[in-house]
Amino acid sequence: MSFDQVGIIVLLESLSFSKNHLDGSIPSAIGNMKSLKALFLYSNNISNFIPSSLLQEIGNLKALSFLDLSQNRLSGPIPTQIGDCSNLQLLNLANIHLSGRIPPQISDLSLDTLNLSHNYISGDIPSQLGSLSSFAKIDLSHNFIGGVIPSQFEKFTQLTFLDLSQNNITGTIPNFPFYLEKFNLSFNSLRSPIPKELLQFPLESFKGNKDLCGEITGFPPCSSSLSPTMKRKRNNKGIQNQKIIIVVPTLFLVSTLALVMVALSRQRARSPKPNPSSTKNGDIFSVWNYDGRIAYEDIIKSTEDFDIKYCIGIRVVAWKKLHHFEAEKPALIEQEFLE
């Protein structure tokens, strides 16, 4: 019997063609199986869209509780007719290339397990899901879901598995006042503190959310959770850092100026002091280097203009007052004395 002929078995309660090489589309004749409670077609090559006619037929299967079409090659959005399968407890449509949004009609089901992971689903998480208080497992990971986590999730007191990782979810993490066996919100855009009720989970459950904070290793502490004493210490430390930033350049400038002044003073101390007398009179033991003008003035001043009282004896001496231009020509003076 082929897959297309299974609809003739109207009294069948469970049908599983999982992990085969089935291809083509799902026959709508399955809707004739009024007693069917479980339909498992996962891990095949079934393609095409999920036909709305099929879901309408499945909606007539009042006993159907388990539907697993995961790991196939189906595509397109989730039909809104899914809400007609009011008795469904397990819906697994993971990894079948679904797109579009999660229809709010899912809230009309009796689900305790919902798996829509590894698809291309976008949009927000419908707040209507909060009406399903019987949820035990929700896996919406590896999609493009945005928006915030509905606050109604806090009412899922029977929830033990929640995986919303690898999405674009924003906002804060709601409080979950109940025990979760598995919890993963990694690689989203969540912010603010990690609730204390979730601190028992490892870093891997929250990593990839750069704006989260809390008392988990790998995340910075939340500023609002610091005690007043810690806040004062942080503020005082900031003021001290500012003082250090101001004082250090000032000390450097002052020490540099001091070193320059010391170097200049040492250089001046090592320089020889000029001899006023030698500067004034030149070398008195050298005739040609002697400054005649200064020497003449000194002689006149010392002898009070050649006063007689300074004469030691009388002797005829020939002398001549040299003019400045003559003092600069020694040869001319020597010639005149010879004459």
Side-chain angles (χ1 to χ4, degrees):
M1 180 176 21
S2 66
F3 182 45
D4 295 334
Q5 297 175 326
V6 295
I8 62 175
I9 311 176
V10 294
L11 299 178
L12 191 65
E13 293 184 356
S14 179
L15 176 61
S16 177
F17 279 96
S18 302
K19 297 183 179 180
N20 285 285
H21 297 282
L22 298 176
D23 53 15
S25 58
I26 302 174
S28 58
I30 290 180
N32 299 326
M33 306 172 71
K34 305 298 183 182
S35 301
L36 193 64
K37 294 181 180 180
L39 177 58
F40 298 103
L41 301 177
Y42 61 86
S43 297
N44 282 291
N45 294 318
I46 300 174
S47 59
N48 213 332
F49 297 97
I50 300 177
S52 58
S53 58
L54 168 64
L55 292 177
Q56 289 175 354
E57 295 295 334
I58 292 178
N60 295 326
L61 304 178
K62 303 301 180 183
L64 187 64
S65 299
F66 305 97
L67 177 62
D68 191 341
L69 305 179
S70 61
Q71 299 183 43
N72 278 285
R73 298 172 59 189
L74 297 165
S75 59
I78 303 173
T80 57
Q81 290 84 354
I82 192 70
D84 296 333
C85 306
S86 57
N87 292 319
L88 272 180
Q89 299 177 23
L90 180 148
L91 177 62
N92 190 351
L93 302 179
N95 197 15
I96 59 173
H97 306 284
L98 289 176
S99 59
R101 305 170 68 93
I102 301 174
Q105 288 81 359
I106 287 183
S107 61
D108 297 331
L109 307 179
S110 303
L111 291 175
D112 60 23
T113 299
L114 175 63
N115 190 348
L116 302 178
S117 63
H118 294 85
N119 282 295
Y120 302 95
I121 299 172
S122 57
D124 300 343
I125 301 174
S127 59
Q128 291 87 340
L129 291 182
S131 62
L132 295 174
S133 59
S134 60
F135 264 128
K137 179 180 179 181
I138 300 176
D139 191 349
L140 304 179
S141 62
H142 294 84
N143 278 287
F144 297 95
I145 298 172
V148 301
I149 302 175
S151 59
Q152 291 86 346
F153 275 34
E154 298 178 0
K155 302 177 181 178
F156 297 156
T157 56
Q158 300 183 41
L159 191 65
T160 59
F161 184 106
L162 178 62
D163 192 345
L164 303 178
S165 62
Q166 301 281 348
N167 278 289
N168 299 319
I169 299 173
T170 60
T172 60
I173 302 175
N175 293 320
F176 292 92
F178 44 83
Y179 178 75
L180 288 166
E181 294 179 0
K182 182 177 180 181
F183 181 78
N184 194 348
L185 298 179
S186 62
F187 297 100
N188 279 284
S189 299
L190 296 165
R191 57 179 172 80
S192 294
I194 300 172
K196 294 181 179 179
E197 294 83 3
L198 303 175
L199 295 179
Q200 74 272 16
F201 290 101
L203 171 65
E204 286 71 21
S205 296
F206 304 97
K207 67 179 181 180
N209 293 277
K210 63 178 182 178
D211 294 325
L212 280 182
C213 61
E215 301 177 4
I216 294 181
T217 303
F219 288 96
C222 301
S223 57
S224 59
S225 63
L226 294 176
S227 63
T229 304
M230 290 298 294
K231 288 183 179 180
R232 284 195 298 270
K233 287 183 178 179
R234 282 197 171 185
N235 292 334
N236 292 337
K237 186 176 181 181
I239 294 173
Q240 291 175 358
N241 290 337
Q242 292 178 357
K243 289 181 180 178
I244 291 173
I245 292 172
I246 295 172
V247 170
V248 168
T250 304
L251 291 176
F252 177 76
L253 179 60
V254 171
S255 60
T256 303
L257 291 175
L259 290 174
V260 171
M261 293 178 66
V262 170
L264 290 176
S265 63
R266 288 184 177 180
Q267 184 176 3
R268 289 178 181 177
R270 292 175 181 175
S271 300
K273 294 184 179 180
N275 189 347
S277 60
S278 64
T279 302
K280 180 179 178 182
N281 300 328
D283 187 0
I284 60 175
F285 299 102
S286 175
V287 175
W288 308 124
N289 294 333
Y290 196 68
D291 192 337
R293 180 181 299 173
I294 297 175
Y296 174 76
E297 291 176 355
D298 289 344
I299 293 171
I300 294 298
K301 183 177 179 180
S302 300
T303 61
E304 297 180 9
D305 199 15
F306 296 102
D307 191 275
I308 193 63
K309 63 182 179 180
Y310 291 101
C311 293
I312 299 174
I314 298 174
R315 183 178 294 183
V316 178
V317 179
W319 68 278
K320 182 179 181 180
K321 181 179 180 181
L322 299 177
H323 296 284
H324 177 68
F325 71 92
E326 293 175 328
E328 295 177 352
K329 297 179 179 180
L332 181 61
I333 297 173
E334 182 178 1
Q335 182 179 358
E336 288 180 356
F337 271 99
L338 292 175
E339 293 176 357

